[in-house]
Amino acid sequence: MSTVTIIDYGSGNLRSAAKAFERAAREAGTGDEILVTDDVEAVRRADRIVLPGVGAFADCRAGLDAVTGMVEVLEERVIRGGVPFLGICVGMQLMATEGREKTITRGLGWIPGAVVRLEPEGDLKVPHMGWNTLRFHRAHPVLAGIPDGSNGLHAYFVHSYHMAVDRPELLVASADYGQQVTAIVGRDNLLGTQFHPEKSQTLGLTLIRNFLGWKP
């Protein structure tokens, strides 16, 4: 049995995320322990790490920095230790070099790129809120069993900003909302979703189950 740690730093739909991971673990029969915590030592012992996030980029970064030692232990376990990592919504955006929401805020610098405001063509409104299918840009184990394209499964988005990656190979999937919207980024043991898998029904549960079994 492995431990999946969902980081509590004052931002994120922790209850819904935990319930989705618990359900996915039951359905997969993995017996994983799902732990929601702000304990740095618990994160250090985790076999998989999830960083959720909702709200403004700068506020989420400030919340993460406010948990003493959390950024350092993430660097230790995720970057140097290779532990599978999933960032959700602003948790995914924090992986970028910087966020440009109202002010420039330094990100974790794990995925080169900047978090910028959506600028959809036409009369589409921002924030982007609702259900969209995905377009896969490359194969990835967490996408197994998930159909993409116009007849594919839908993911639930609610956001005004997305990550503009510096290198195309870091873009795993996108959505269309009057522009190409970054939906999933990834490299090595890192994965991030702009949408909320815990609210994305079949697509989300499949992705979470795949993440629980993912061996980068």
Side-chain angles (χ1 to χ4, degrees), residues 145-159:
I146 300 174
D148 70 332
S150 58
N151 295 318
L153 295 176
H154 288 73
Y156 181 74
F157 291 81
V158 53
H159 64 121

Side-chain angles (χ1 to χ4, degrees), residues 9 28 54 69 94 98 117 179-180:
Y9 62 107
V54 295
L94 287 172
E98 64 183 28
R117 184 172 175 81
Q179 67 175 101
Q180 179 175 283

Side-chain angles (χ1 to χ4, degrees), residues 69-89:
M70 187 61 77
V71 171
E72 289 78 11
V73 81
L74 285 172
E75 290 281 345
E76 173 192 329
R77 295 295 289 134
V78 177
I79 300 304
R80 297 194 293 278
V83 170
F85 173 89
L86 175 64
I88 297 173
C89 197

Side-chain angles (χ1 to χ4, degrees), residues 20-44:
F21 274 82
E22 289 164 359
R23 177 178 172 181
R26 283 197 309 272
E27 292 180 354
T30 59
D32 293 314
E33 177 188 8
I34 311 302
L35 180 64
V36 177
T37 184
D38 62 356
D39 183 349
V40 168
E41 290 307 313
V43 176
R44 181 172 278 119

Side-chain angles (χ1 to χ4, degrees), residues 1-206:
M1 183 179 73
S2 63
T3 300
V4 180
T5 297
I6 301 173
I7 297 176
D8 180 2
Y9 62 107
S11 177
N13 298 310
L14 301 179
R15 178 176 172 79
S16 59
K19 289 179 63 120
F21 274 82
E22 289 164 359
R23 177 178 172 181
R26 283 197 309 272
E27 292 180 354
T30 59
D32 293 314
E33 177 188 8
I34 311 302
L35 180 64
V36 177
T37 184
D38 62 356
D39 183 349
V40 168
E41 290 307 313
V43 176
R44 181 172 278 119
R45 295 189 298 268
D47 300 297
R48 298 177 190 278
I49 297 172
V50 180
L51 183 68
V54 295
F57 186 102
D59 292 343
C60 289
R61 179 64 206 243
L64 193 60
D65 288 339
V67 183
T68 302
M70 187 61 77
V71 171
E72 289 78 11
V73 81
L74 285 172
E75 290 281 345
E76 173 192 329
R77 295 295 289 134
V78 177
I79 300 304
R80 297 194 293 278
V83 170
F85 173 89
L86 175 64
I88 297 173
C89 197
V90 183
M92 170 261 220
Q93 294 180 2
L94 287 172
M95 298 161 68
T97 307
E98 64 183 28
R100 299 176 183 172
E101 186 174 353
K102 297 180 182 176
T103 184
I104 295 179
T105 305
R106 180 174 53 88
L108 294 169
W110 296 352
I111 300 286
V115 176
V116 299
R117 184 172 175 81
L118 296 173
E119 296 182 355
E121 296 178 354
D123 58 358
L124 294 173
K125 295 181 179 179
V126 175
H128 167 213
M129 185 181 302
W131 298 87
N132 291 80
T133 57
L134 304 179
R135 174 192 168 207
F136 299 158
H137 291 253
R138 62 180 174 89
H140 195 286
V142 301
L143 301 177
I146 300 174
D148 70 332
S150 58
N151 295 318
L153 295 176
H154 288 73
Y156 181 74
F157 291 81
V158 53
H159 64 121
S160 299
Y161 290 77
H162 76 140
M163 189 190 301
V165 295
D166 285 351
R167 302 203 306 267
E169 68 271 18
L170 300 173
L171 181 63
V172 177
S174 64
D176 179 32
Y177 186 71
Q179 67 175 101
Q180 179 175 283
V181 174
T182 297
I184 306 177
V185 297
R187 70 171 179 84
D188 307 321
N189 59 307
L190 306 174
L191 193 76
T193 65
Q194 179 61 65
F195 58 89
H196 288 272
E198 75 278 11
K199 296 181 179 181
S200 296
Q201 301 181 351
T202 301
L203 184 154
L205 284 171
T206 304

